Amino acid sequence: MNKKIWTRTAYILTTILVFGVFLYLCFLPSFRNFVFEIENKTFDLRQNITSKYMNPSDKISIIEVDDESYEYIVDKFGSWPVPRVFWANLITNLEPSKPNMLIFDLLFLKRFTADGDSDLELIQAVNKNKNVYVSMNFDNYSKEVRTPPKLPLALQNNIENDFLIKTNPDLVYSNCRPILEEILNGTKNIGLINVQRDKDGIIRTMSPFSYYDGTYYKHLTILAGLDYLNISTNNFKLNKRGEIVLQDTLNKTQDTSGKKTILPLNSNGRVILNWYGPEWSFNYIPLWKVASAIEKGDKAFLENNFKDKIIFVGVTANSLSDIKSTPVSYMFPGVEVQATFLNNILDNNFIKKAPLAFDIVLAIFLAALIGFGVMNFKSPAKSVLMFFGVYTLYFILSTLLMLFFNVWISLTAPIMLGIFVFAAGYIAKYLITSRDYEHTYKLAVTDGLTEMFNHRYFQEQMTNNIQNAKRYGNVFSLIMVDIDFFKKFNDTYGHQSGDAVLRQVAQTIKRNIRSTDIPCRYGGEEMSVILTNTNKEDAIKTAIKICEAVRNKEFELATGDWTHVTISLGVATMPTDGDTTEKLIEYADKCLYVAKRNGRNQVVHDVPDDTPTE
């Protein structure tokens, strides 16, 4: 086969085999989970890079219950949580500064039995101010622990084509932690603050909707985002691309930029968040400073910090245990996660995962490029350089796509496939190189006419067999073969016919020995056979078998005629007849000389030491 065709065939077959192994692994759940987890880490890496260039909205501020504020509250009220009147006063005193929204990332659960008036003041403050938003939370507590409450119809939503949400067990809940009943029934500004973590505990996604008691409920930030965009609807539709387009179903109102605000859901029914920084990104104002400004009547401070702002109120103190792990930090306050979610809505800035088909095509293209490089670059260094160059550029491209277009293309699967193809290329290269080496070596040790091993190889094998015999106490034998009257044959029939007979005699010898024996062309018409692990008796039998096979065979000449030839054979065995290459050859030659002197066409194996060689 043409070497070029063989090379390409080897590459293709090896690549197909390795690609098949890769596909098989992809069907194993454990392998898919492994790839998925690594891919999530590459997402985190890219988010750490891109988040440095993302600017959070200056419309959002966070009033934080940090460690200092927690100490301030404990000193003032004696414990946490604080009396509800504190939050009522906060709402009442912030409203004159005209904040756009005041969103509580806090759960106002059950009544404080010791201070009912305090609860009442909070209820009145929340229900009176339509820009105040409060939280609730779903869970899966047993019905024996808590009876699942019925929620107001005003909080319920309809979603068409809801397969991505309703079928996802992480988004379906069986119970709810009810907030104060008067708030629950007195305002529509109530949303969920549930978060969903991946298997490694990292929050990368958020669910805009959750399913409870046969219907859907909005996340708190979706509720606030819709109100900010002046969209009033409880009816949503999931399109064929897995997107929910936020618009008023009655007047088709869209956001002020004229672009549709889209929630691109992934296969788990969640949106992928786009983070704004490795550190806390939004404008944080400690609660104790706000409380002090209220006490002092510092209206300028309140107006400067909160006018027209979307204000989140939440805890950041470590002791209050609302710290989350995100792609950009393992110590992220939960309220910042909620603010990031809302900021993504306002900026229409969610990450969109590229379709699986696109990732597959791209992975195959890159793998083919790597395979092409391995196949065409003779230098391993160039192949390795190309591999790292291609995937470094691919990583940069994927990061730029995430930064400028919010698109997440896979890194792990393409790189793994590239590694598989790279390995396949070098396996094929090794096979080809081995084949070429074997072919070259065969040419170097083979006689071109007879296709027996040549004289150099004969000498090497004699040395090896003698060393093994001395080391392990083995025996081996040597047969020297000479075609009778070959010079006269050449003179009579010509050298071409002589070559033809020489080639056919060699083939006859090879057919009558074992695969472990070593047939060689010693020189001219003289040939030899090294019989490994063979004693004198077995060597004689083999020599007689060869002699008879040649005698009985009819050989075709170059002219097309047929004739018979005979051979003479001498046998020597180590260590009986010698313990060096020279001595064994000399003894076998003496036997060969005796065979010729006694009439040829025979095997001789025993001669006196003083017998001369021919």
Side-chain angles (χ1 to χ4, degrees):
M1 182 185 291
N2 180 280
K3 182 178 179 181
K4 189 173 183 180
I5 295 176
W6 155 251
T7 301
R8 293 189 179 278
T9 302
Y11 275 125
I12 292 171
L13 291 177
T14 308
T15 302
I16 290 174
L17 176 62
V18 172
F19 186 67
V21 171
F22 183 77
L23 285 179
Y24 170 75
L25 290 174
C26 289
F27 283 100
L28 300 178
S30 57
F31 182 77
R32 288 201 306 272
N33 289 336
F34 169 76
V35 172
F36 181 75
E37 289 176 10
I38 298 299
E39 181 61 29
N40 277 343
K41 296 303 181 184
T42 70
F43 173 80
D44 297 349
L45 174 60
R46 285 173 280 180
Q47 278 286 295
N48 270 281
I49 295 171
T50 60
S51 64
K52 297 175 183 177
Y53 304 97
M54 299 284 290
N55 295 315
S57 174
D58 58 4
K59 302 172 185 175
I60 299 176
S61 294
I62 297 176
I63 297 177
E64 60 170 332
V65 184
D66 59 356
D67 289 313
E68 289 180 301
S69 298
Y70 177 68
E71 186 173 334
Y72 169 86
I73 289 171
V74 171
D75 288 344
K76 191 173 183 66
F77 297 100
S79 64
W80 175 272
V82 296
R84 302 279 170 72
V85 68
F86 177 82
W87 301 117
N89 289 335
L90 180 68
I91 296 171
T92 302
N93 285 280
L94 286 181
E95 283 300 322
S97 63
K98 297 182 179 179
N100 193 300
M101 293 180 175
L102 185 57
I103 305 171
F104 283 89
D105 184 31
L106 302 170
L107 291 172
F108 298 124
L109 303 173
K110 300 183 180 180
R111 288 185 176 277
F112 282 1
T113 56
D115 190 5
D117 292 340
S118 179
D119 288 339
L120 183 59
E121 290 192 44
L122 175 63
I123 291 166
Q124 290 173 345
V126 171
N127 292 345
K128 175 183 176 182
N129 297 286
K130 302 306 179 184
N131 63 340
V132 176
Y133 296 78
V134 294
S135 308
M136 68 177 179
N137 194 43
F138 288 157
D139 57 34
N140 290 305
Y141 275 32
S142 171
K143 295 179 181 180
E144 297 177 0
V145 175
R146 183 202 308 136
T147 301
K150 288 289 183 181
L151 299 179
L153 292 176
L155 303 182
Q156 298 179 3
N157 301 270
N158 298 312
I159 301 177
E160 294 183 46
N161 302 330
D162 57 351
F163 58 93
L164 282 181
I165 305 173
K166 191 174 181 179
T167 59
N168 193 299
D170 291 338
L171 306 182
V172 179
Y173 297 92
S174 61
N175 215 324
C176 174
R177 298 179 70 185
I179 61 175
L180 290 168
E181 185 177 354
E182 291 86 349
I183 292 178
L184 190 62
N185 293 306
T187 179
K188 296 179 181 179
N189 296 345
I190 304 173
L192 302 172
I193 54 171
N194 288 76
V195 297
Q196 290 80 31
R197 294 176 174 82
D198 289 330
K199 290 182 178 180
D200 56 2
I202 306 296
I203 297 173
R204 299 181 180 90
T205 59
M206 293 284 277
S207 173
F209 298 91
S210 294
Y211 192 76
Y212 168 74
D213 194 24
T215 191
Y216 292 98
Y217 294 87
K218 298 186 191 77
H219 195 278
L220 179 65
T221 51
I222 293 294
L223 177 66
L226 287 171
D227 288 349
Y228 186 87
L229 298 172
N230 295 316
I231 299 174
S232 177
T233 182
N234 286 337
N235 297 302
F236 303 90
K237 182 178 180 180
L238 191 67
N239 64 27
K240 293 180 180 179
R241 293 187 296 274
E243 301 169 338
I244 294 177
V245 180
L246 298 182
Q247 61 183 15
D248 195 312
T249 56
L250 296 178
N251 56 31
K252 308 299 182 185
T253 301
Q254 296 177 352
D255 68 355
T256 54
S257 65
K259 297 180 180 178
K260 293 180 180 179
T261 301
I262 295 173
L263 304 177
L265 304 189
N266 65 6
S267 59
N268 292 326
R270 311 173 195 170
V271 290
I272 305 170
L273 297 182
N274 204 352
W275 301 90
Y276 292 94
E279 304 296 336
W280 298 2
S281 306
F282 296 93
N283 178 35
Y284 278 83
I285 305 167
L287 178 64
W288 71 266
K289 286 188 177 182
V290 179
S292 296
I294 292 173
E295 289 176 0
K296 296 174 183 177
D298 190 351
K299 296 181 180 180
F301 174 86
L302 298 178
E303 186 168 327
N304 290 337
N305 283 283
F306 304 122
K307 184 177 181 180
D308 297 326
K309 300 288 186 181
I310 299 172
I311 305 167
F312 278 89
V313 181
V315 299
T316 61
N318 291 330
S319 57
L320 296 177
S321 303
D322 192 30
I323 301 301
K324 316 294 185 185
S325 294
T326 71
V328 294
S329 175
Y330 286 105
M331 298 291 290
F332 229 55
V335 66
E336 172 120 350
V337 176
Q338 307 295 346
T340 298
F341 191 3
L342 180 58
N343 205 155
N344 280 187
I345 296 172
L346 302 186
D347 293 348
N348 203 15
N349 205 32
F350 292 104
I351 296 293
K352 296 177 285 293
K353 187 74 173 69
L356 178 61
F358 177 84
D359 285 339
I360 292 173
V361 170
L362 193 56
I364 292 173
F365 171 76
L366 292 174
L369 192 61
I370 293 300
F372 177 82
V374 172
M375 186 166 54
N376 288 278
F377 290 146
K378 293 183 179 179
S379 168
K382 288 183 178 179
S383 298
V384 172
L385 187 63
M386 178 187 178
F387 178 88
F388 283 103
V390 166
Y391 285 106
T392 298
L393 290 174
Y394 179 59
F395 173 78
I396 294 172
L397 173 64
S398 72
T399 305
L400 292 175
L401 284 173
M402 188 171 287
L403 176 62
F404 292 109
F405 300 99
N406 299 337
V407 175
W408 175 4
I409 60 175
S410 292
L411 272 181
T412 307
I415 291 177
M416 290 185 70
L417 183 59
I419 292 172
F420 271 69
V421 171
F422 188 84
Y426 269 94
I427 290 171
K429 234 173 189 181
Y430 172 79
L431 294 174
I432 293 166
T433 302
S434 298
R435 179 180 178 274
D436 289 345
Y437 174 79
E438 291 174 2
H439 180 67
T440 303
Y441 182 73
K442 184 177 180 181
L443 290 176
V445 300
T446 303
D447 175 66
L449 176 63
T450 62
E451 295 184 353
M452 286 179 152
F453 293 110
N454 59 23
H455 185 80
R456 185 181 72 177
Y457 189 78
F458 167 78
Q459 292 291 342
E460 291 176 359
Q461 293 302 309
M462 284 294 293
T463 301
N464 291 341
N465 276 275
I466 287 171
Q467 290 174 350
N468 288 335
K470 289 180 178 180
R471 179 176 300 175
Y472 302 111
N474 298 334
V475 297
F476 79 95
S477 298
L478 170 65
I479 301 174
M480 298 297 291
V481 181
D482 191 80
I483 300 176
D484 297 331
F485 303 112
F486 192 68
K487 291 180 182 178
K488 183 178 178 181
F489 185 93
N490 279 335
D491 292 339
T492 303
Y493 296 103
H495 286 283
Q496 288 186 340
S497 292
D499 289 347
V501 168
L502 190 61
R503 185 164 49 248
Q504 292 173 76
V505 169
Q507 291 172 353
T508 304
I509 291 173
K510 288 194 287 185
R511 281 197 294 268
N512 286 275
I513 60 176
R514 301 169 302 182
S515 60
T516 56
D517 297 331
I518 305 168
C520 304
R521 185 179 181 185
Y522 190 77
E525 75 276 14
E526 195 169 5
M527 289 166 275
S528 63
V529 180
I530 301 172
L531 304 172
T532 58
N533 297 316
T534 304
N535 57 28
K536 177 64 74 75
E537 181 180 354
D538 291 334
I540 294 170
K541 291 179 181 178
T542 301
I544 292 172
K545 180 181 177 183
I546 293 171
C547 184
E548 292 177 349
V550 172
R551 180 193 310 133
N552 296 328
K553 181 174 176 59
E554 194 173 16
F555 296 95
E556 184 179 9
L557 306 181
T559 60
D561 297 323
W562 296 82
T563 188
H564 287 275
V565 297
T566 59
I567 56 175
S568 298
L569 303 91
V571 179
T573 301
M574 179 179 175
T576 307
D577 304 321
D579 57 1
T580 66
T581 298
E582 293 77 12
K583 289 180 181 180
L584 286 170
I585 293 174
E586 181 181 2
Y587 189 88
D589 273 341
K590 285 181 180 181
C591 291
L592 187 59
Y593 174 77
V594 171
K596 289 184 176 184
R597 189 182 61 188
N598 292 343
R600 294 179 170 80
N601 189 24
Q602 59 184 284
V603 176
V604 174
H605 58 85
D606 189 17
V607 295
D609 291 338
D610 58 351
T611 301
T613 57
E614 188 177 36

